[in-house]
Amino acid sequence: MNTVLHAASATALGDFVPKPTSVSLGQLEATLQVWEGKGGSVSTGVWECTPGVFGAVRDDHHEICVLLSGSVTVTPDGGEPALLSAGDLLVMPQGWSGTWEVHETVRKVYVVVDCA
């Protein structure tokens, strides 16, 4: 099969909803899943989140993402913070946990690989 899927970096995402793991009042996120592999073992899409702080855990999957816009400080539990902005690559392997502090609305392209 020869299929090309396309989602421009400015593509409208789904509705913005409250970020469930946020510790900041009013933080919102939206996601557009672009593709999912057979059985759901791999998926990719575009995600956006408004300023605030939230926790993240990658218990059963790896996540690879590239920031398209905005800025965020990502701090792994027990590790050093990293300030990321547009063009930066972030890899969170299975077992990763930490905190995201979104300074200005961030948009990323992500790939999730299920480890289950």
Side-chain angles (χ1 to χ4, degrees):
M1 178 163 59
N2 217 359
T3 303
V4 174
L5 301 172
H6 176 258
S9 61
T11 298
L13 307 183
D15 293 335
F16 277 85
V17 297
K19 176 79 179 137
T21 60
S22 180
V23 296
S24 299
L25 187 61
Q27 188 172 30
L28 302 173
E29 67 178 350
T31 304
L32 172 65
Q33 183 170 306
V34 176
W35 177 80
E36 181 175 82
K38 187 175 182 178
S41 61
V42 179
S43 62
T44 188
V46 183
W47 173 86
E48 188 168 304
C49 188
T50 62
V53 177
F54 66 90
V57 177
R58 303 293 179 259
D59 281 337
D60 58 359
H61 63 278
H62 307 294
E63 181 178 349
I64 303 98
C65 52
V66 175
L67 273 61
L68 300 174
S69 62
S71 67
V72 60
T73 297
V74 177
T75 306
D77 291 343
E80 295 296 317
L83 177 61
L84 305 171
S85 59
D88 287 338
L89 170 70
L90 174 64
V91 177
M92 293 169 285
Q94 179 185 15
W96 187 94
S97 63
T99 304
W100 285 55
E101 180 180 359
V102 179
H103 306 294
E104 59 180 299
T105 298
V106 67
R107 182 176 276 223
K108 70 179 183 182
V109 172
Y110 67 85
V111 175
V112 171
V113 180
D114 189 1
C115 297

